[in-house]
Amino acid sequence: MDLPALLASASLLVPEDDASENDLTVRDVWELLVGDDWETALRLLEELAADAGPPPAEFWDRLGEAAGQYGLERSAAWCHWRSAELRNGMVRAELTLRPAGEARRTTPVPGAGVLRPLWDIGGRSPTGERAVSIAALWVEGLPHLEPGASATVRLLPLTPAHWDHLRPGARITMHEDSTVAGTAVVLEVGQAGQRRLCDEPPGKEPSTKG
């Protein structure tokens, strides 16, 4: 499906009367599509999803494909991430990384969902030993997180059922080896299909289209 068709199909998944905080609606998206202003239409659809919604996972799939065609890599990653949250659930937490001199990591943690660290969330193996779980990591509002710094993060569990027992206020630890890489306090636990906070879309990216 080509770019304008993808954006048009995504717009059909947003209720026509839903408005962004700037009182823009899907009708404004259609006007932008008629004028071939596809990048602005994509941005407006992201805003509508953040301020109104919640749209279904299919909306994010189509918007992510459109962002990818336009060369907006972080926007595409964000849209696919939101689709996965709706399908699998998510955890928001306040994460503090250990300083560079106290942990294995000496470089910033990438912010756009590429890192899949291990997490100690209180799980146990059948023999009673500590069992860690995997979850991808998205840093809200930042391109990366420096060692020693703190930020709100979104976690996308590989096995959602392992995380169902968590509640806001729980403390969990991040691991990239046997040592603790960071400590997080859970802010929100969302099950698949639930509406969730959407604090990002990502910042403006340069287009790769000429």
Side-chain angles (χ1 to χ4, degrees):
M1 192 179 295
D2 62 20
L3 178 59
L6 280 168
L7 292 172
S9 65
S11 72
L12 294 175
L13 296 173
V14 179
E16 186 172 346
D17 293 331
D18 281 358
S20 72
E21 63 179 9
N22 297 318
D23 293 327
L24 298 173
T25 69
V26 171
R27 289 186 291 275
D28 297 290
V29 173
W30 295 337
E31 291 179 6
L32 292 166
L33 291 176
V34 170
D36 292 339
D37 191 350
W38 301 333
E39 183 174 3
T40 305
L42 190 153
R43 296 295 186 189
L44 178 52
L45 282 169
E46 287 182 349
E47 289 181 18
L48 285 169
D51 298 334
E58 291 78 9
F59 166 86
W60 292 106
D61 291 336
R62 296 175 193 179
L63 207 61
E65 187 175 346
Q69 287 192 22
Y70 213 89
L72 302 173
E73 295 182 2
R74 187 175 174 93
S75 286
W78 172 244
C79 292
H80 292 308
W81 180 280
R82 291 288 291 137
S83 174
E85 283 187 351
L86 288 169
R87 290 186 165 97
N88 301 317
M90 57 82 76
V91 174
R92 292 178 79 242
E94 187 71 14
L95 172 65
T96 301
L97 296 180
R98 293 180 66 188
E102 298 180 9
R104 170 188 174 185
R105 175 173 287 277
T106 58
T107 58
V109 167
V114 299
L115 189 68
R116 296 174 51 170
L118 302 172
W119 299 88
D120 184 351
I121 57 176
R124 295 291 171 183
S125 71
T127 59
E129 298 175 344
R130 184 187 71 171
V132 292
S133 298
I134 299 172
L137 171 68
W138 188 286
V139 182
E140 289 188 355
L142 295 171
H144 54 258
L145 184 61
E146 298 280 352
S150 300
T152 301
V153 298
R154 304 170 88 96
L155 308 180
L156 194 63
L158 178 64
T159 308
H162 290 178
W163 299 69
D164 286 346
H165 68 282
L166 289 180
R167 296 292 181 269
R171 296 179 69 85
I172 61 178
T173 55
M174 172 181 154
H175 300 259
E176 294 187 86
D177 57 16
S178 60
T179 62
V180 174
T183 302
V185 177
V186 174
L187 303 175
E188 175 192 3
V189 181
Q191 304 299 321
Q194 290 181 343
R195 178 170 184 165
R196 297 173 186 85
L197 297 177
C198 187
D199 293 342
E200 204 159 326
K204 181 76 170 180
E205 297 175 271
S207 173
T208 62
K209 304 296 182 181

